Amino acid sequence: MKKILYPLAFLAVIPALVHADATSSRLERVLQKGSLNVCTTGDYKPYTFLKEDGQYEGIDIAMAESLAASLGVKPTWVPVTWKSLPDEMNAGHCDIAMGGISVTLKRQQKAWFANVLDQDGKIPLVRCEDVRKYQTVEQLNTASVRLIEPAGGTNEAFVHSHLPKGTLTLSDNVTIFQKLVDKKADVMITDASEALYQQKRYPKLCAVNPKKPLQYGEKAYMLPRDDISWKMYVDQWLHLSKATGEYQQIVSQWLAVKK
C-alpha cells in the first residue's frame, strides 16, 4: 500500500512545481509589474539612439515598443554600455537587451539569445578616397593604420583578435564617424548594417565590401539565461512580427532614412 501512496503523493506535488516554474519566469514577472525593462546602449544607429531630448529611437526601439504592446505593458529603458551589457543582464537588470546586438559565444556564457534577427558581419568603414587601401586583413593589420572603435563591444574585440598590429584608439560611438571624416583616424571596423547606414549620413565615408564581410556575424535580442518560458514568448512574438511584415516595415523605414 505504501508503495502505491508514494507515487500518488509525488503526482500531487507536480502541479505545484509547474506553477512555481511558471511564476518564476520573467514572462510572469513582466506581466505582473506592468513594465518591460529594455537594456539598450543608445549609441548605435539605426538600431538604438538616445536623442538630445532624452527620447530613444531606432529599429530596435520600435521593436521593443511592439514587444511591450504585445504584453500589454510599458517599456522602461535601462541605459547600458557595450562593456557592461553582459553583466547587467546577468545581474537581472534587463528583461531583454535590444539595439543591434551581435551574437557571440562569450556573451552566450552569461545570457541567452532569442532567434536570429539577421545575418551581419564586420567590414571596414573608411573615407571613400581610401577604399582600395583597406580591402583585406593584411592591408589593415599594420601599425600605420589608425583604427578607431567604441569600447567594450565586438568591434573592439575583432581588432584585438584580427588586427593586433594596428594602432587602436577608443571613442564613443556617436562622434566616431566625424573623426573619420576629419582624418583623426583611418578605419572603423563595424557591422555592415551600421556602415551602410552611416555612409548615407556621411557622404565622404564608404562601406568596404559590405556583401563580403571579414567575419560572419548574426544579430539577436539578448535574454536572461535559463528562462525557457520567456525565450519561447519572445521567439514567437518575433516570428509573428516577421510573418506579418511588421519587422520588415520597421527596418525599411530606417534604412531608407537620409539625414
Side-chain angles (χ1 to χ4, degrees):
M1 185 67 179
K2 289 182 179 180
K3 292 182 179 180
I4 297 174
L5 289 176
Y6 288 149
L8 290 175
F10 177 74
L11 289 173
V13 172
I14 288 177
L17 292 175
V18 172
H19 179 71
D21 287 342
T23 56
S24 65
S25 170
R26 184 78 52 164
L27 173 60
E28 188 65 25
R29 279 180 276 168
V30 167
L31 292 171
Q32 288 179 352
K33 69 182 179 180
S35 64
L36 176 71
N37 288 350
V38 181
C39 287
T40 193
T41 61
D43 67 349
Y44 188 12
K45 285 187 175 182
Y47 299 100
T48 173
F49 186 72
L50 180 60
K51 299 185 293 182
E52 293 182 0
D53 63 3
Q55 300 297 310
Y56 285 91
E57 65 177 7
I59 292 171
D60 286 341
I61 299 304
M63 289 297 288
E65 291 170 342
S66 170
L67 174 58
S70 77
L71 292 158
V73 302
K74 299 292 185 181
T76 299
W77 311 112
V78 181
V80 296
T81 66
W82 291 107
K83 187 174 183 179
S84 70
L85 177 55
D87 291 331
E88 294 281 355
M89 177 64 70
N90 198 37
H93 299 157
C94 320
D95 297 321
I96 189 169
M98 305 173 75
I101 299 170
S102 297
V103 178
T104 69
L105 292 177
K106 186 175 182 180
R107 286 172 173 168
Q108 187 81 45
Q109 293 171 15
K110 293 188 176 182
W112 277 4
F113 285 95
N115 288 342
V116 172
L117 281 163
D118 289 302
Q119 294 181 5
D120 211 338
K122 301 300 182 189
I123 66 167
L125 179 65
V126 305
R127 290 180 294 278
C128 295
E129 64 201 59
D130 294 334
V131 167
R132 291 187 179 182
K133 292 172 59 176
Y134 303 121
Q135 294 278 318
T136 66
V137 169
E138 290 72 24
Q139 289 175 312
L140 293 162
N141 191 29
T142 66
S144 62
V145 178
R146 298 174 300 164
L147 297 151
I148 188 166
E149 305 294 346
T154 55
N155 295 343
E156 182 189 359
F158 180 91
V159 170
H160 288 311
S161 62
H162 292 79
L163 310 174
K165 296 180 181 179
T167 303
L168 175 62
T169 298
L170 298 179
S171 171
D172 65 83
N173 206 37
V174 177
T175 63
I176 200 168
F177 308 102
Q178 189 59 48
K179 290 175 182 176
L180 285 172
V181 172
D182 295 339
K183 299 187 177 182
K184 295 179 179 178
D186 301 315
V187 179
M188 177 190 184
I189 300 296
T190 187
D191 295 319
S193 55
E194 181 177 38
L196 290 169
Y197 179 81
Q198 293 296 347
Q199 74 175 4
K200 293 180 179 180
R201 302 180 69 244
Y202 296 89
K204 292 184 178 181
L205 298 183
C206 284
V208 180
N209 300 326
K211 294 184 179 181
K212 297 180 179 179
L214 301 173
Q215 182 187 59
Y216 174 80
E218 296 176 340
K219 293 195 179 302
Y221 300 138
M222 187 182 287
L223 303 170
R225 195 174 65 179
D226 303 328
D227 191 336
I228 190 64
S229 295
W230 180 226
K231 174 174 165 53
M232 288 179 68
Y233 183 88
V234 174
D235 285 343
Q236 182 64 11
W237 158 79
L238 181 59
H239 164 70
L240 292 174
S241 296
K242 288 186 172 184
T244 61
E246 179 188 18
Y247 174 71
Q248 294 85 342
Q249 183 179 13
I250 290 172
V251 169
S252 65
Q253 288 173 352
W254 275 92
L255 292 183
V257 170
K258 294 184 180 181
K259 294 183 179 179

